[in-house]
Amino acid sequence: MSAPSRRQLLKAGGAAVLSTPFVSRAWASTTEINMLAWYGHGEPDIVAEYEAANNVKFVPKYYAGGDNMLALIAQSPPGTYDLILSDAEFVQQLNLAEYIEEMNPGDYPLDDMLHEDFTQFPGHWADGKMYSMMLRGGHLGVSYNTNSVSAEEAESYACFWKPELEGKVGHFDWHLPTLGMMSLYDGNGANLWNLDDDQWDKVQETTMSLRKQVGGFFDYGGTFNGLKNGEMQAMVGIGDWITGVLEKDGAPVASVIPKEGGIQFTESYSIGKGSEKVEESKKFIQYMMSPAGQVKSAQMAAYPGFCVTKAGRAALIEADPAEAQRSHQIDGDPQDPITLIKEGRIHYRDIPQQQSLEDWNDFWSEYKNA
């Protein structure tokens, strides 16, 4: 018999962490793991089964937006957070600030990733060393009420300017998603984050022209409720991660990637610098990268996401074919997220290259107050 591959061992390990009898550790005190993450990642539908099987307890601190995440870490003593779930474009900054630990690539199923880019995702590595493990992703595009915007109209970001939507277009309150979409609408394509002064001026002008349409700026809950109750008929800066939950509940909403292209958000796990729970954190990341963990991630009650491993996608198709089909995570589907990446229609979310985050944030404040 040949030796098992790393992928086989990791797949088996994902199942093992949930099959080991809890009673064998009943005498030990529960280990608390402090998690910094977007809302949902520390909720019972994701962690309760793992907690029971491993005698651990996750203590989540939630944020919205990478700027807020960096601020929370900067204000906390080293070792405060054991596990950090971050947007991929912020991993480089976490690393430069020495907020995260180096990780061993051999501990994770990099040979099973659905796309070659995912094996060494931009910013996750530095000087040949790995600092973050890609967990999941999702696509941002045009999100709309199907009773107010037709499928044809939703094929372009231009639908946000539809006269009938005045006062009924909402924003997810974070500058990167919206300004990225405005940059795509302006025709910047793959250079959407790398804007010279003239292009940046044009993006600001385009964004300002949308202001009269806008009925509000919302956090996660407000974005969700605005679409659910119909107060907002379209939402800028989001995608299926919001509308997918509502769609499954029967709401007349949808998200599509328009002709100008879409943006991929990518969420990744890092281990906090100075953590005393490195092994426990690594074990949980390994579980989330196992087929069972990938299915839980895709089905997350707070907001759905795409599997990033081949074994995870196969497990989702087997466990929940309806969700796999709804989210296009099926080989051969023209809207398959991997197909869209290969076709060049999806661009990974990034931070501005020729401006600073402060520049974009300052304009965002100006826009909101206009």
Side-chain angles (χ1 to χ4, degrees):
M1 293 177 62
S2 61
S5 68
R6 182 173 77 229
R7 186 193 310 175
Q8 290 171 323
L9 290 171
L10 289 170
K11 286 170 68 176
V17 293
L18 293 181
S19 60
T20 307
F22 175 74
V23 67
S24 66
R25 294 179 301 279
W27 57 270
S29 59
T30 300
T31 299
E32 288 192 345
I33 299 176
N34 292 308
M35 172 193 289
L36 182 62
W38 281 83
Y39 174 73
H41 287 270
E43 294 303 292
D45 63 298
I46 300 297
V47 303
E49 190 177 5
Y50 184 90
E51 287 176 329
N54 292 273
N55 201 19
V56 298
K57 178 67 178 176
F58 288 93
V59 182
K61 171 74 173 179
Y62 293 131
Y63 67 86
D67 307 289
N68 295 331
M69 175 202 64
L70 290 172
L72 285 168
I73 299 176
Q75 296 161 10
S76 306
T80 299
Y81 301 109
D82 303 302
L83 200 56
I84 299 172
L85 185 286
S86 76
D87 298 294
E89 64 269 25
F90 285 88
V91 173
Q92 268 187 321
Q93 292 168 285
L94 288 172
N95 190 22
L96 287 171
E98 299 186 347
Y99 289 154
I100 53 179
E101 297 280 0
E102 181 184 346
M103 299 169 74
N104 180 3
D107 289 334
Y108 307 99
L110 295 175
D111 59 350
D112 192 39
M113 305 303 278
L114 276 165
H115 193 283
E116 185 179 355
D117 288 355
F118 299 172
T119 61
Q120 291 200 20
F121 202 73
H124 285 40
W125 295 66
D127 299 323
K129 299 176 180 178
M130 177 180 165
Y131 290 90
S132 195
M133 182 66 223
M134 182 179 178
L135 169 70
R136 72 206 297 258
H139 291 168
L140 312 177
V142 172
S143 297
Y144 63 104
N145 187 302
T146 56
N147 293 327
S148 301
V149 178
S150 70
E152 291 75 21
E153 289 171 326
E155 286 299 314
S156 172
Y157 291 114
C159 69
F160 293 140
W161 281 265
K162 185 177 179 178
E164 291 83 357
L165 296 185
E166 184 171 348
K168 298 177 182 179
V169 175
H171 277 289
F172 180 61
D173 192 4
W174 186 24
H175 55 78
L176 277 185
T178 287
L179 297 182
M181 289 180 179
M182 297 298 103
S183 183
L184 285 173
Y185 182 54
D186 281 347
N188 294 316
N191 292 315
L192 73 162
W193 313 109
N194 189 17
L195 307 176
D196 61 27
D197 289 344
D198 289 342
Q199 290 170 320
W200 172 229
D201 287 344
K202 181 64 167 64
V203 166
Q204 293 176 81
E205 180 184 333
T206 298
T207 308
M208 275 295 185
S209 74
L210 183 63
R211 188 63 181 85
K212 65 182 178 63
Q213 297 288 97
V214 177
F217 297 81
F218 304 96
D219 60 10
Y220 169 83
T223 300
F224 187 90
N225 289 327
L227 283 172
K228 182 178 181 179
N229 62 28
E231 180 184 355
M232 295 295 114
Q233 295 293 297
M235 196 70 70
V236 190
I238 64 164
D240 187 69
W241 70 280
I242 291 282
T243 59
V245 179
L246 293 167
E247 188 181 3
K248 286 188 283 188
D249 285 341
V253 296
S255 291
V256 298
I257 302 304
K259 64 183 181 182
E260 297 93 350
I263 298 169
Q264 176 172 303
F265 76 80
T266 309
E267 295 176 337
S268 308
Y269 268 127
S270 297
I271 297 173
K273 179 73 77 172
S275 168
E276 296 180 356
K277 319 282 176 50
V278 172
E279 286 303 312
E280 292 89 343
S281 298
K282 179 183 76 174
K283 187 178 179 182
F284 178 68
I285 299 172
Q286 289 175 328
Y287 166 66
M288 291 306 298
M289 296 309 301
S290 74
Q294 286 285 288
V295 171
K296 280 192 178 295
S297 176
Q299 296 174 321
M300 183 187 288
Y303 60 103
F306 299 143
C307 297
V308 295
T309 68
K310 297 170 186 173
R313 174 184 279 209
L316 176 66
I317 293 170
E318 182 177 351
D320 192 348
E323 174 58 15
Q325 201 147 27
R326 188 203 66 77
S327 57
H328 309 290
Q329 296 184 77
I330 303 285
D331 294 345
D333 188 317
Q335 295 295 309
D336 175 354
I338 304 302
T339 298
L340 294 177
I341 293 172
K342 291 178 178 178
E343 291 177 348
R345 294 184 60 197
I346 293 295
H347 309 281
Y348 302 137
R349 196 168 62 200
D350 205 344
I351 58 176
Q353 303 299 300
Q354 298 189 49
Q355 300 80 40
S356 68
L357 278 168
E358 288 75 18
D359 292 333
W360 282 38
N361 199 39
D362 288 346
F363 169 69
W364 189 244
S365 296
E366 179 187 344
Y367 174 64
K368 288 168 64 176
N369 293 320

